[in-house]
Structures are given as structure tokens and as C-alpha cells.
């Protein structure tokens, strides 16, 4: 097995901390001296129960999540949450407000429309989602069931600086798939937070859900068991077989973040990494960043060179130098450097020197 790993800018599933990968290798072989691995044990046995309890306790501590919120590990990705949230909270002719900041918001809106009324309270579609709408551009409906937003727009490289304002008493719902635990978060401002793990937290196949208990109680009954939050809360994420290996890795990633100093330190680290790249973009008239300066993401840095042929050349030559996964999403074009929690600073430094060299040779 090669020890050599490249700098992996993949947008997701994305790079994981090396320490965690090493521990996961061992845990697949043997979990705590049990004589079997983490993927091979009963989800109701003591080995996995310990993993699950530790994962929950560490998440609760990391993000200061109060006791009146449940922490769930579900399956189906963020995409299932697009439907589950309105199924549980948008019944009976109610309206929910959605802020449309990109492709993932649009998918969430489309799913919600299957279950109730949707009011689009703000949008940046007029400029291909290159910015986060200003507070005074958001118009809520009179009595929304909730206000949904996407905290980081993975494809367009924009990120909310702070939560959108909501009418008093209305819960915020957030798709935080691509920036969960990349910075401090005040969970008490939310009714529901969900995130597919595969960008910042672990492998694909597990979705972290943080939900306020009183909302859970308010959902109608009669939904399919797997789609009812109440059922998962009641059974502590073990209504059916949970994604045991994924939960193990998430637990290790959370410990890794705690070891770095927690969410404040993580945010500092992420801001510093992103700044290295944005500084080069701002100093250059060769590269063009695609997001407005006040909306720039610390997770996905999107930019273009002067021509599409040069973008293609950039991506190809970067790959040959061990900088992989830099192709932008087709709806934006150009390049996208995804630099989630586990992405190392050295990778950003390597990208920055490559960018400067590429500019010198191709301008
Ligand atoms: C990747 C991503 C999704 C899709 O997640 P799945 O787990 O594949 O369903 C949804 N929202 C955002 C913001 C994403 O980055």
C-alpha cells in the first residue's frame, strides 16, 4: 500500500483527516479488542452502543447543543432531508419560506412543494447565485412554518456569514451539508440542522440531524416510520440498522476537531486556508473569483482563468502535480477548490504556488 497521498480538492465525498483514516483502518479489523471489526458488530451490542453514545456526547459538547435538541444519525443523505423536513413540518395547508441560493436550495424547494406551500423569501438566481441575499432583500411570508436556508453553497462557493433573520418565533431550518462544524454555530437559533456527512464529517451514507424536541412532537403521525423524526428520536437512531461504520468515522472526526481546539480553532484554520487562495485571486488580473467578496465561502473557493481552454489546461496540469479534484461544477465552470475541515493547509499552499506559476506561464 502506497503511503503517498495527493492533495484532494474533491467537493464530496471529500478528504478525511489522516489520523482518523488510520484509526478507521484498525477499527475495521478490530474494535476495542473485541475480536471483530466495527462493520461487523450488532448495532445493539455494547461495542457499537459505546461508539454511538460517545459520538452523540462529543457532538453535543463540541457545538454546545442543549438537552432539548435531539441528535440523530440517519440515512438517505441531505437529499432525503429535503423531503423529510416538509413531510413532518409543512402539513395542513401551511407555508414554508425558502431562501434560494443555489442548486441545493432549489432541490429543497422542489421537494417541499410536494407537501405544502413554498414562498421563496429571497434569491440570488438573478446573478447565477454568486452572492448571498442581503437582509433587506428577504421578504418572509406572514406566518411561515419555518424558514429554510443553505448555509454554504457548495457549487457556487458562497456562504452565509450569519443566519438570516426570521420572524419572531419561527424556526430556522438549515442544510449545513458543506460547512457543518467548520465554525461555531449557535444551535439554539435553529429548529432543524441537517448535513450529509461526506464533506466535513465522515464518509457518505450517514446524515447528521440536529432537531428541537418540541418540533419533533408537533409533527403529524401517519408518516412512514423511516420518514418520521419522532420514530428516530424515540429509538435513539436505532429504529433500524444505522450506518455503523459511518457513525464510527464521524465520531472520530468530531474527536479530531475537539483535539484541534474545537469549532473556534476550526474556523480560524479554515479562514486562514481560504484566505491564502483568495489573496492570490485578489492580487491577480488573470484569475477571476466567481463569488462576491462579502459572500465568499471558506469551504469552496470558485474561480476562473481568462479562457475555458486555460481552465481545462489548469485542471490537467494541476492534477499532474498532485492537486486533484479542481474542476468546477458544470453550472459555474472554471475551478473549484474544496477545502473542508480535513483539508490541510499545505494543500492550499501548494495550490497557491501552482496558481502563480500557471499565471506566469499562460498570461
Ligand atoms: C452535497 C450536498 C447535498 C447533497 O447531499 P446528499 O447527501 O448527496 O443528499 C445537499 N446540500 C448541500 C449543501 C450539499 O453540499
Amino acid at each position: 500500500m502506497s503511503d503517498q497521498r495527493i492533495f484532494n480538492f474533491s467537493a464530496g465525498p471529500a478528504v478525511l483527516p489522516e489520523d482518523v483514516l488510520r484509526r478507521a483502518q484498525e477499527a475495521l479489523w478490530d474494535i476495542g479488542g473485541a475480536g471483530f471489526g466495527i462493520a461487523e458488530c450488532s448495532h445493539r451490542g455494547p461495542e457499537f452502543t459505546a461508539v454511538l453514545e460517545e459520538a452523540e456526547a462529543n457532538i453535543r459538547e463540541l457545538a454546545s447543543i442543549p438537552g432539548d435538541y435531539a441528535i440523530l444519525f440517519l440515512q438517505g443523505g441531505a437529499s432525503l432531508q429535503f423531503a423529510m423536513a416538509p413531510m413532518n413540518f409543512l402539513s395542513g395547508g401551511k407555508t414554508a419560506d425558502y431562501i434560494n441560493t443555489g442548486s441545493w436550495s432549489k432541490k429543497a424547494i422542489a421537494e417541499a412543494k410536494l407537501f405544502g406551500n413554498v414562498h421563496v423569501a429571497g434569491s440570488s438566481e438573478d446573478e447565477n447565485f454568486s452572492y448571498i441575499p442581503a437582509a433587506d432583500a428577504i421578504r418572509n411570508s406572514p406566518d411561515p412554518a419555518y424558514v429554510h436556508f443553505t448555509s454554504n453553497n457548495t457549487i457556487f462557493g458562497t456562504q452565509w456569514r450569519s443566519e438570516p433573520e426570521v420572524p419572531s418565533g419561527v424556526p430556522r431550518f438549515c442544510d449545513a451539508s458543506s460547512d457543518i462544524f467548520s465554525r461555531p454555530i449557535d444551535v439554539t437559533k435553529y429548529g432543524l440542522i441537517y448535513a450529509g456527512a461526506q464533506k466535513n464529517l465522515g464518509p457518505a451514507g450517514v446524515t447528521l440531524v440536529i432537531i428541537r424536541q418540541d418540533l419533533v412532537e408537533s409533527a403529524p403521525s401517519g408518516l412512514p416510520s423511516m420518514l418520521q423524526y419522532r420514530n428516530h428520536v424515540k429509538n435513539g437512531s436505532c429504529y433500524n440498522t444505522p450506518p455503523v461504520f459511518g457513525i464510527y468515522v464521524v465520531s472520530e472526526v468530531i474527536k479530531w476537531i475537539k483535539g484541534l481546539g474545537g469549532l473556534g480553532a476550526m474556523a480560524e484554520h479554515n479562514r486562514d486556508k481560504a484566505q491564502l487562495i483568495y489573496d492570490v485571486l485578489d492580487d491577480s488580473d488573470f484569475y477571476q473569483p466567481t463569488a462576491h467578496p462579502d459572500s465568499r465561502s471558506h469551504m469552496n473557493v470558485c474561480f476562473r482563468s481568462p479562457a475555458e481552454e486555460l481552465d481545462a489546461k489548469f485542471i490537467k496540469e494541476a492534477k499532474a502535480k498532485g492537486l486533484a479534484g479542481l474542476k468546477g461544477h458544470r453550472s459555474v465552470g472554471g475551478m473549484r477548490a474544496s477545502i473542508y475541515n480535513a483539508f490541510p493547509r499545505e494543500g492550499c499552499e501548494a495550490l497557491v504556488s501552482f496558481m502563480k506559476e500557471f499565471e506566469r506561464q499562460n498570461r
Side-chain angles (χ1 to χ4, degrees):
M1 196 162 46
S2 163
D3 258 0
Q4 205 56 45
R5 284 167 58 85
I6 55 157
F7 289 122
N8 173 15
F9 291 89
S10 168
V15 61
L16 287 165
E18 292 195 355
D19 292 354
V20 170
L21 289 174
R22 295 283 184 206
R23 256 198 307 282
Q25 282 179 321
E26 285 170 22
L28 271 172
W29 187 254
D30 185 280
I31 179 87
F36 48 75
I38 179 63
E40 305 168 293
C41 55
S42 164
H43 59 291
R44 307 201 189 277
E47 296 82 10
F48 180 71
T49 301
V51 168
L52 185 62
E53 284 174 357
E54 189 182 30
E56 189 190 320
N58 280 330
I59 288 171
R60 207 173 276 287
E61 189 191 327
L62 180 73
S64 308
I65 302 174
D68 57 336
Y69 284 76
I71 296 169
L72 301 174
F73 301 95
L74 305 183
Q75 301 188 60
S79 300
L80 185 57
Q81 295 304 307
F82 294 165
M84 234 172 122
M87 280 176 102
N88 280 261
F89 304 115
L90 190 53
S91 53
K94 283 192 268 191
T95 296
D97 289 2
Y98 278 70
I99 306 177
N100 181 15
T101 52
S103 313
W104 295 116
S105 305
K106 275 178 134 170
K107 288 194 166 155
I109 290 168
E111 296 295 288
K113 282 182 175 168
L114 299 173
F115 303 101
N117 305 316
V118 170
H119 166 71
V120 176
S123 170
S124 52
E125 193 163 18
D126 59 341
E127 292 185 38
N128 198 30
F129 301 115
S130 57
Y131 67 99
I132 297 294
D136 61 8
I138 291 170
R139 301 267 180 278
N140 288 113
S141 65
D143 184 25
Y146 57 82
V147 176
H148 180 284
F149 72 108
T150 314
S151 51
N152 183 77
N153 298 281
T154 324
I155 291 174
F156 300 92
T158 64
Q159 187 175 25
W160 289 80
R161 289 283 165 270
S162 57
E163 296 84 4
E165 292 303 323
V166 293
S168 159
V170 173
R172 290 178 181 84
F173 283 16
C174 180
D175 173 5
S177 292
S178 55
D179 69 353
I180 184 91
F181 299 159
S182 69
R183 56 181 179 181
I185 181 167
D186 181 355
V187 170
T188 64
K189 291 186 171 167
Y190 295 80
L192 170 70
I193 301 166
Y194 60 88
Q198 66 271 22
K199 281 130 191 173
N200 271 302
L201 293 183
V206 51
T207 312
L208 177 67
V209 171
I210 302 168
I211 187 166
R212 222 175 62 204
Q213 297 271 13
D214 64 318
L215 285 173
V216 171
E217 299 309 325
S218 76
S221 39
L223 295 174
S225 307
M226 284 294 285
L227 301 177
Q228 178 117 46
Y229 291 108
R230 185 159 51 237
N231 206 26
H232 292 290
V233 172
K234 199 170 82 196
N235 291 283
S237 298
C238 287
Y239 168 70
N240 72 328
T241 315
V244 291
F245 178 67
I247 294 170
Y248 167 82
V249 178
V250 170
S251 181
E252 292 300 316
V253 169
I254 298 297
K255 278 193 248 175
W256 174 81
I257 298 174
K258 281 178 70 185
L260 289 179
L263 296 185
M266 196 76 253
E268 194 52 52
H269 184 57
N270 287 327
R271 186 170 2 186
D272 170 59
K273 288 186 301 181
Q275 200 57 50
L276 283 175
I277 307 173
Y278 285 121
D279 281 348
V280 173
L281 296 175
D282 286 338
D283 283 347
S284 161
D285 51 14
F286 180 82
Y287 298 110
Q288 195 62 49
T290 61
H292 289 207
D294 60 359
S295 302
R296 288 171 174 178
S297 167
H298 292 168
M299 300 279 98
N300 311 95
V301 181
C302 299
F303 58 98
R304 289 197 201 91
S305 76
E308 274 180 39
E309 306 80 68
L310 279 176
D311 290 344
K313 190 171 179 228
F314 182 104
I315 291 155
K316 187 159 168 261
E317 292 182 7
K319 180 143 194 249
K321 292 221 148 90
L323 306 168
L326 284 164
K327 191 173 180 353
H329 191 272
R330 61 189 179 282
S331 53
V332 184
M335 278 70 76
R336 169 174 54 172
S338 297
I339 51 172
Y340 304 116
N341 286 347
F343 190 88
R345 188 180 202 274
E346 302 80 68
C348 295
E349 289 164 0
L351 174 62
V352 156
S353 15
F354 175 77
M355 287 168 75
K356 289 178 182 163
E357 184 190 319
F358 187 84
E359 176 174 349
R360 268 196 302 278
Q361 287 171 357
N362 293 281
R363 64 177 308 119

